[in-house]
Amino acid sequence: MTWKRTHNCGELTAENTGEEIILNGWVSTRRDLGGVIFIDLRDRYGITQIVFNETDKELHEKAEQLRGEYVIGVKGMVEERDEENVNPELYTGDIEITVTDLQIYAKAETPPFEIKEDIATGEEIRLTYRYLDLRRPDLQRNMILRSDFYQSVRSFYHERDFVEVETPVLMKSTPEGARDYLVPSRVNPGKFFALPQSPQTYKQLLMVSGYDRYFQIVKCFRDEDLRADRQPEFTQIDVEMSFVDEDAVMSSTEDLMQKLMKETIGEDIEPSFKRMTYEEAMKTYGTDKPDTRFGLEFADFSELVEDSEFKIFSGTVEKGGAVLGITVPGQGSMGRGAIDRLTERVQDETGAGGLIYIKLNEEDGVKCSVEKFLKEETVEAMVEKADAAMGDLVLILAGPSPDVYHQMSKLRLMMGEEHNLINEDEFDFLWVTDFPLVKWSREEQRYQALHHPFTAPYQEDVDKLEEDPVSVRSRAYDLVLNGYEIGGGSIRIHDRELQKRMFSLLGIDEEEAEERFGFLLEAFKYGAPPHGGIALGVDRIIMILSGGNSLRDVIAFPKNQKAQSLMDNSPDYVDQEQLDELHIRLKRGVGPEHE
């Protein structure tokens, strides 16, 4: 029989001294000190030390069987520890439990890794035994943080009269960008559902339906190459609002983030976030998701060196490229060996052709690595443009645009991390706005939506849609936190004819548009309100709030970088009988017999 606990393992203190209690949990550690057995009993709330004395021989003998991860229940008395035995690292560290009865619910084999924080075990083993990994306190804190986060999100939107609506998981495939995960329909042979990359069209239809304010916490799926901050299935806070502009959506999101930060990790943040246009972000930081916790903004030397005799500079500018620099404070005395190693690293990690520098120090004065090719006044002008002072180091890259901006962005982050310029305790929010509506794809020889095909252009740019598409600005906005994009949204197109023009611009002819998005175009015939919204990446936000660097540490059962679950060996092959029901035949060379 299972004993009903009176307390959990993380709540008893000296105030409970003398009480008879029942605890249930896992054996975390066991110490036998010659007649007295000490057990650290663990559950998700904490650890309590329990003690078996030799005075009760039968109970003591039973306790001798206990090993790590045994699941047990104990009855006993709360006793205050002597002052010298108090453990200040535990909330329960001023008491222990003298056990009077013991029940062993389940024995356990020795686990493949220790159940504790900060283990060095490889991720593959941890993911294979994920149910054991989830016992570790740091992962349990992440899961509890995630649970608290969900409660705060729901209370925020319910208090503001939003309607929580679940949209379908099985939907029409409307591929644009990442690949869809497809689900064959048994009852409709040859036809497939797609798992949603986003509920985008559904939430717009809800606005057409008059629901005014919608949200949901929703699972989404993308079949794409993975990395540490990406998963094939992910969770987002999906929001849509009618009769709003950008400011309304952004202001509501700022209020949400302020509440979440306060209620989940106790952090107070400014209610109004910084804003920066896409163009400004790219010119200043080389990325549309800059980490603005530190400086090292770009200095553009292109005009200063366009007539230089140094052909790497002047030739680059002549071909439409750029010469950029960043000033690293306090590194003006960096030695030649260190700079050579940095140059090699920059070439390997950013793809830049080389690294040029200007060092400013008391011993050498102003020293440029290519000074014999540059006039003294040019170097001085570059130092002034870079706002460099004595003791600083100016690092310079030259190359074609936009590649050199991306390369310098990587170098900036490299320097920020290496020289401890980033305040790891800071949470720095930034809105990036005014994105281009489309970009030209050389591979596909067509325009692609920078966000998605439903993003509205600025009204004053609509006339340029056909004649100069790349100059058209979108009413899109991304939310960035500490260099991570944590959300993106836009004001949507709600006019049927404008939406058809957008499809045409993207190379989607009228017939294809009708086939893929006819239901949305049809809905727009019946009165669509102006609307906009945002989607916030839950996994990425939780990763940042927890201080982690991998999404896999904040998702209970994640996939690895091959989109596999090592714990249950999914995806896996299925019986031919199941495939026959779905009218599917695997091509030759594919199947379990070819593993």
Side-chain angles (χ1 to χ4, degrees):
M1 183 181 74
T2 303
W3 291 339
K4 183 178 179 181
R5 69 185 178 194
T6 59
H7 299 79
N8 63 54
C9 293
E11 66 175 309
L12 293 169
T13 67
E15 294 182 2
N16 301 101
T17 300
E19 294 181 16
E20 292 184 5
I21 56 88
I22 298 174
L23 298 179
N24 293 316
W26 283 260
V27 174
S28 184
T29 61
R30 175 185 182 277
R31 305 181 301 282
D32 191 337
L33 303 182
V36 181
I37 298 174
F38 293 91
I39 299 287
D40 282 347
L41 190 65
R42 183 193 73 243
D43 63 12
R44 75 174 175 91
Y45 304 96
I47 287 177
T48 298
Q49 179 172 282
I50 63 174
V51 183
F52 295 89
N53 293 309
E54 204 172 21
T55 50
D56 188 334
K57 290 189 176 181
E58 184 178 347
L59 182 61
H60 193 273
E61 288 175 2
K62 194 173 182 181
E64 286 180 333
Q65 303 175 40
L66 299 179
R67 296 293 182 269
E69 300 310 304
Y70 274 35
V71 187
I72 65 173
V74 296
K75 295 179 179 180
M77 186 75 69
V78 180
E79 296 190 4
E80 189 170 3
R81 296 196 203 186
D82 295 334
E83 188 174 341
E84 63 270 19
N85 292 324
V86 169
N87 183 350
E89 295 183 4
L90 292 179
Y91 181 78
T92 62
D94 57 354
I95 60 98
E96 61 188 20
I97 309 301
T98 299
V99 179
T100 57
D101 202 357
L102 165 68
Q103 184 170 185
I104 299 176
Y105 297 127
K107 296 181 178 181
E109 295 182 7
T110 302
F113 49 82
E114 292 185 88
I115 309 299
K116 66 175 189 178
E117 296 193 41
D118 301 323
I119 59 175
T121 306
E123 190 176 60
E124 185 170 331
I125 294 294
R126 288 175 47 213
L127 291 178
T128 301
Y129 297 92
R130 187 61 167 183
Y131 43 85
L132 296 179
D133 200 29
L134 285 169
R135 291 183 189 175
R136 298 193 303 110
D138 43 353
L139 260 69
Q140 291 193 340
R141 281 197 300 272
N142 290 348
M143 296 306 119
I144 294 166
L145 172 63
R146 191 174 183 120
S147 175
D148 294 342
F149 182 92
Y150 285 157
Q151 291 185 52
S152 291
V153 169
R154 286 196 162 95
S155 69
F156 176 87
Y157 285 115
H158 287 152
E159 288 166 5
R160 287 158 178 79
D161 210 25
F162 280 72
V163 182
E164 186 171 5
V165 181
E166 294 175 295
T167 51
V169 174
L170 297 175
M171 63 177 288
K172 183 181 180 66
S173 177
T174 55
E176 180 70 30
R179 301 179 189 90
D180 284 333
Y181 276 103
L182 299 177
V183 180
S185 172
R186 180 184 59 81
V187 296
N188 298 282
K191 294 186 176 182
F192 293 81
F193 293 107
L195 302 182
Q197 296 187 34
S198 161
Q200 182 62 45
T201 52
Y202 286 113
K203 65 181 179 180
Q204 290 191 243
L205 290 172
L206 286 170
M207 297 302 102
V208 177
S209 301
Y211 281 83
D212 180 45
R213 293 183 165 204
Y214 140 92
F215 90 99
Q216 70 169 318
I217 298 172
V218 60
K219 276 282 187 188
C220 300
F221 308 84
R222 286 180 187 162
D223 185 5
E224 58 188 349
D225 296 332
L226 306 184
R227 55 179 187 244
D229 65 339
R230 189 168 285 176
Q231 282 279 295
E233 52 181 311
F234 56 96
T235 307
Q236 66 184 36
I237 303 167
D238 204 50
V239 179
E240 200 76 6
M241 305 161 68
S242 293
F243 309 110
V244 292
D245 59 11
E246 295 90 329
D247 287 337
V249 179
M250 293 160 78
S251 176
S252 174
T253 305
E254 290 172 357
D255 291 344
L256 169 68
M257 294 310 303
Q258 191 174 23
K259 175 183 172 73
L260 290 173
M261 297 292 287
K262 181 66 174 177
E263 294 186 357
T264 57
I265 61 172
E267 190 78 21
D268 289 310
I269 61 172
E270 291 295 322
S272 184
F273 300 162
K274 295 178 294 186
R275 298 189 185 187
M276 182 181 298
T277 66
Y278 171 85
E279 183 178 8
E280 183 183 357
M282 295 303 296
K283 286 185 175 180
T284 309
Y285 300 104
T287 175
D288 59 4
K289 45 180 181 293
D291 188 340
T292 49
R293 289 175 294 175
F294 68 109
L296 304 193
E297 293 88 351
F298 296 179
D300 190 339
F301 301 134
S302 301
E303 289 186 6
L304 298 177
V305 299
E306 61 183 348
D307 297 322
S308 165
E309 293 181 6
F310 186 45
K311 294 303 180 185
I312 290 179
F313 282 175
S314 56
T316 295
V317 177
E318 185 180 355
K319 294 175 183 175
V323 180
L324 306 175
I326 56 172
T327 299
V328 187
Q331 297 302 314
S333 297
M334 184 180 289
R336 180 60 184 269
I339 288 182
D340 286 346
R341 289 190 294 273
L342 175 60
T343 300
E344 186 176 335
R345 185 181 170 197
V346 167
Q347 290 173 320
D348 290 343
E349 296 184 22
T350 75
L355 180 64
I356 295 165
Y357 63 85
I358 303 173
K359 297 198 296 185
L360 295 86
N361 60 60
E362 297 294 343
E363 184 177 343
D364 300 315
V366 178
K367 184 174 180 60
C368 177
S369 59
V370 292
E371 58 189 8
K372 63 181 179 180
F373 302 110
L374 295 175
K375 295 177 181 177
E376 186 177 338
E377 55 265 33
T378 302
V379 175
E380 290 175 354
M382 293 171 73
V383 169
E384 183 179 351
K385 180 82 171 178
D387 197 23
M390 193 57 63
D392 293 344
L393 172 67
V394 182
L395 299 175
I396 304 164
L397 297 178
S401 298
D403 296 355
V404 69
Y405 286 91
H406 300 322
Q407 292 161 356
M408 185 58 87
S409 178
K410 292 178 181 178
L411 176 57
R412 173 180 177 267
L413 279 176
M414 193 187 298
M415 292 296 96
E417 292 168 357
E418 190 167 308
H419 298 293
N420 300 314
L421 302 177
I422 304 173
N423 181 358
E424 299 292 348
D425 296 324
E426 184 179 356
F427 294 96
D428 195 75
F429 290 88
L430 170 73
W431 287 108
V432 178
T433 64
D434 295 1
F435 286 81
L437 184 68
V438 296
K439 62 181 179 180
W440 177 255
S441 170
R442 293 178 185 172
E443 295 79 13
E444 298 186 21
Q445 288 294 296
R446 69 179 183 91
Y447 290 107
Q448 292 179 333
L450 213 67
H451 281 77
H452 55 62
F454 315 105
T455 300
Y458 272 87
Q459 187 60 43
E460 56 266 36
D461 291 353
V462 168
D463 290 343
K464 297 186 289 185
L465 265 179
E466 285 80 17
E467 63 186 49
D468 189 13
V470 293
S471 72
V472 177
R473 296 165 299 155
S474 72
R475 298 179 68 181
Y477 35 84
D478 281 359
L479 183 57
V480 178
L481 172 57
N482 295 356
Y484 289 95
E485 179 196 331
I486 62 168
S490 65
I491 300 302
R492 324 299 188 189
I493 297 171
H494 70 281
D495 176 78
R496 174 184 167 88
E497 293 308 313
L498 180 57
Q499 185 65 75
K500 290 168 73 173
R501 286 174 67 187
M502 181 64 178
F503 287 150
S504 177
L505 175 62
L506 298 176
I508 302 172
D509 62 29
E510 199 163 327
E511 183 179 347
E512 185 182 359
E514 188 63 36
E515 181 184 340
R516 288 169 58 182
F517 305 107
F519 60 96
L520 183 65
L521 294 172
E522 181 72 13
F524 283 177
K525 289 180 179 179
Y526 300 99
H531 57 280
I534 194 167
L536 298 163
V538 170
D539 309 309
R540 200 167 293 178
I541 296 172
I542 299 294
M543 180 187 78
I544 297 170
L545 298 190
S546 69
N549 55 22
S550 172
L551 294 182
R552 291 185 283 277
D553 285 339
V554 299
I555 298 172
F557 299 102
K559 306 295 188 290
N560 66 6
Q561 288 188 306
K562 294 182 178 179
Q564 300 167 324
S565 171
L566 300 179
M567 183 187 70
D568 58 5
N569 194 35
S570 63
D572 201 359
Y573 296 107
V574 298
D575 296 336
Q576 185 59 50
E577 184 179 345
Q578 290 177 274
L579 294 176
D580 290 342
E581 287 183 335
L582 296 169
H583 310 282
I584 290 176
R585 279 275 183 269
L586 298 180
K587 71 178 184 180
R588 186 170 298 174
V590 176
E593 66 274 12
H594 298 283
E595 282 273 289

